[in-house]
Amino acid sequence: MGTERIRCILGQQCAPVIAGIKPSNLLIVEQGNQNGLRHALRGTELNGYLLHRSTEKDYWLLYDPKVLRRLLTDIDRKQYLQACGYDTGDLKAVLGRLAARFQRYKQGEAEFPHEMGVLFGYPLKDVTGFIENGGRNFKMSGYWKVYDDVTYANRIFKLYEYVKETVLGLCREGVEISDIRKQFQISGHPLPYIS
């Protein structure tokens, strides 16, 4: 898979992370594209952490280390993740624990690690609402299932869609991910995941 294709996959699946308005996201690519991914992310602060490798697909957590570390200082999220067995003072430990939990899920040995939504920047009340309701009884569904603030979620969903269209358009024009990130940093988009 070429760099241009990887860039478009990144834009499709992770545009809000590229734009700096979301701390992390799941990235699923065909197996064996680690070098292409590394090349596409060159010159950015973004990192990829391999969560699971199947026979056909690689499952990565694409993340901005600075933004994710900042999210882990939010007291409510920090306490929630600690209750789930995470060492929130060490980002590598958080990523390692998430990878172990995700691998167990992919192997059919455990349920999906719903705390991943916290790392994606989803509102904590929506993550806990999903768990408590077994994914049912939500008020709205989009990038995540909403159990609390519909107005906030609707605004963020629209922002994510706008960003996705913009990033994908730039990717298709051949603009490097590092240059796309710079364009969004200059425009000064808000950081909606910190509520």
Side-chain angles (χ1 to χ4, degrees):
M1 184 180 301
T3 303
E4 183 177 330
R5 174 103 170 97
I6 289 277
R7 196 169 40 235
C8 287
I9 290 171
L10 280 163
Q12 178 70 35
Q13 295 181 29
C14 300
V17 178
I18 293 168
I21 61 172
K22 192 170 188 269
S24 67
N25 204 71
L26 188 63
L27 173 67
I28 304 169
V29 294
E30 293 174 12
Q31 192 191 71
N33 285 292
Q34 187 169 351
N35 289 336
L37 180 60
R38 187 177 295 122
H39 180 76
L41 296 177
R42 188 182 58 209
T44 73
E45 302 84 24
L46 300 177
N47 288 327
Y49 193 92
L50 184 63
L51 298 176
H52 178 73
R53 174 167 281 150
S54 72
T55 55
E56 298 175 4
K57 305 275 184 190
D58 286 343
Y59 297 79
W60 295 86
L61 183 75
L62 183 74
Y63 69 99
D64 183 324
K66 266 194 311 196
V67 177
L68 196 50
R69 280 189 184 99
R70 189 174 340 131
L71 180 134
L72 292 172
T73 64
D74 175 81
I75 191 70
D76 292 331
R77 290 182 173 129
K78 183 177 184 173
Q79 288 175 346
Y80 178 79
L81 289 170
Q82 288 172 341
C84 293
Y86 286 82
D87 174 4
T88 57
D90 181 354
L91 182 57
K92 286 186 180 183
V94 167
L95 298 173
R97 170 112 173 118
L98 178 64
R101 299 224 342 106
F102 191 78
Q103 286 175 20
R104 289 189 65 224
Y105 159 71
K106 292 302 283 181
Q107 294 165 350
E109 299 170 0
E111 66 177 41
F112 185 83
H114 295 295
E115 70 274 9
M116 186 183 286
V118 173
L119 301 176
F120 289 169
Y122 300 163
L124 184 57
K125 288 182 179 179
D126 292 337
V127 173
T128 58
F130 182 92
I131 295 166
E132 291 165 4
N133 288 278
R136 296 179 303 279
N137 306 321
F138 49 90
K139 297 177 182 178
M140 178 181 171
S141 182
Y143 281 85
W144 68 85
K145 289 186 177 176
V146 179
Y147 291 87
D148 186 44
D149 190 341
V150 172
T151 303
Y152 170 81
N154 193 42
R155 185 172 51 98
I156 299 307
F157 292 172
K158 287 178 182 175
L159 177 61
Y160 284 2
E161 279 303 308
Y162 166 77
V163 166
K164 183 176 173 181
E165 287 176 28
T166 304
V167 170
L168 266 176
L170 292 168
C171 287
R172 289 180 182 131
E173 290 174 15
V175 179
E176 296 291 333
I177 298 293
S178 59
D179 293 329
I180 294 170
R181 276 190 58 88
K182 288 174 191 167
Q183 288 183 25
F184 276 95
Q185 289 170 347
I186 291 169
S187 68
H189 278 283
L191 301 174
Y193 50 85
I194 303 294
S195 50

